[in-house]
Amino acid sequence: MNLKKLFVSLLIFGFLTGGTAMANNVLNDKQKSIVEISSYTAAGDLEKLENALNQGLDNGLTINEIKEILVQMYAYCGFPRSLNSISTFMKVLDSRKGKNDKEGKSPTPLKNNVDKFAYGDKVQVELTGDHVKGALFDFAPAVDTFLKEHLFADIFARGVLTSQEREIATIATLASMKAVEPQLNAHIQMGKNTGLTDGQIKEILTISSTPKAEMFAVGAPNIAYAKYFKGNSYLNMLNKEQVGLANVTFEPKCRNNWHIHHKGGQILIAVNGRGYYQEWGKPAQELKEGDIVNIPPEVKHWHGAAPDSWFSHLAIEVPSDGGSTEWLEEVPDEEYQKLK
């Protein structure tokens, strides 16, 4: 994902019906819960979704607001994950009996005599700023019909959630999925059109990058090496025999100090999120899932997360006699902050 394109400075447009202006540049607790619920639903991480649903209710989301989020999810991450999330919510509500969670407003479906295509087109124009046209819709006009009549009419017209809240949920969902950058970019702009600021959108993307249901567990806080890291990291030692192998996870902005592997080098394999690797005297290189870095012995370098994303990599120790790691100075904030 090219986040440079996502965070360019853009003017904030007027607010849509249901959208509200934010005097500050951060998400409130209810909005954060919408992000977490949507993100864990999209990733299929039901264990963390259960925690997010409980937190969402504690943060003031009503039962019907959460239902609307989970129902809307099917349009973006499919029925299976939407249905699984609804089942998880039922389980959560059953466990919270007696907590007096608020039911909230009920949805109000469109009346039968409403022209749903025209209604959906109006909502789509409000969100995007113009009528959406193009070769894709000429090639498959049914998609245009479904988007207008179902997504932007049947779903958006139900109320309960504002247009801004629905866009928060959608951005979080798409940010938690792979290979959907065009759709994510489009909804980021729609979110801006509802009044979301650049800072709020960046926060949505950061929360959505939290590791979820991964092949390699995040592990425990990396306390033993904490003094060599700026920010919080987590270590899951996967193998100590023959070749040392660990999964290292960095929270956003976290990176290790400059350091050198003497005699034996190291191999990094990026497995989640977005990060950076830099050798002394060279520009930093962005790392995404599947990227591999071969670090020769005696090369001064550092690696860690991008400013707005969690990042995990496998670290493979190259066997050597008498190998050691020399830890050096921190990566200066003023240099790190130049990265996107």
Side-chain angles (χ1 to χ4, degrees), residues 32-54:
K32 289 178 182 177
S33 286
I34 292 173
V35 174
E36 291 175 348
I37 289 168
S38 304
S39 181
Y40 289 129
T41 294
D45 193 334
L46 299 183
E47 182 178 349
K48 291 181 181 176
L49 173 62
E50 187 173 335
N51 294 332
L53 290 167
N54 274 293

Side-chain angles (χ1 to χ4, degrees), residues 11-64:
L11 293 175
I12 304 303
F13 290 81
F15 310 124
L16 297 181
T17 302
T20 56
M22 299 292 170
N24 53 39
N25 203 34
V26 297
L27 300 173
N28 60 40
D29 288 341
K30 287 180 65 174
Q31 290 171 322
K32 289 178 182 177
S33 286
I34 292 173
V35 174
E36 291 175 348
I37 289 168
S38 304
S39 181
Y40 289 129
T41 294
D45 193 334
L46 299 183
E47 182 178 349
K48 291 181 181 176
L49 173 62
E50 187 173 335
N51 294 332
L53 290 167
N54 274 293
Q55 187 63 54
L57 290 167
D58 291 340
N59 284 342
L61 284 173
T62 68
I63 293 172
N64 283 336

Side-chain angles (χ1 to χ4, degrees), residues 65-134:
E65 285 173 335
I66 293 178
K67 281 184 184 178
E68 282 300 306
I69 296 168
L70 303 181
V71 168
Q72 180 177 315
M73 291 298 95
Y74 96 81
Y76 293 99
C77 60
F79 267 118
R81 294 200 166 172
S82 175
L83 294 174
N84 288 344
S85 67
I86 292 171
S87 295
T88 301
F89 190 37
M90 293 170 65
K91 175 183 173 183
V92 167
L93 291 176
D94 188 59
S95 70
R96 291 175 63 96
K97 287 180 179 178
K99 285 202 172 184
N100 297 318
D101 294 317
K102 294 181 180 178
E103 191 77 21
K105 294 181 180 179
S106 297
T108 53
L110 285 172
K111 296 179 180 179
N112 292 332
N113 62 348
V114 171
D115 183 340
K116 292 198 290 186
F117 189 90
Y119 184 98
D121 181 62
K122 179 176 179 293
V123 172
Q124 194 177 41
V125 168
E126 289 177 335
L127 288 169
T128 64
D130 199 358
H131 294 280
V132 177
K133 300 177 181 179

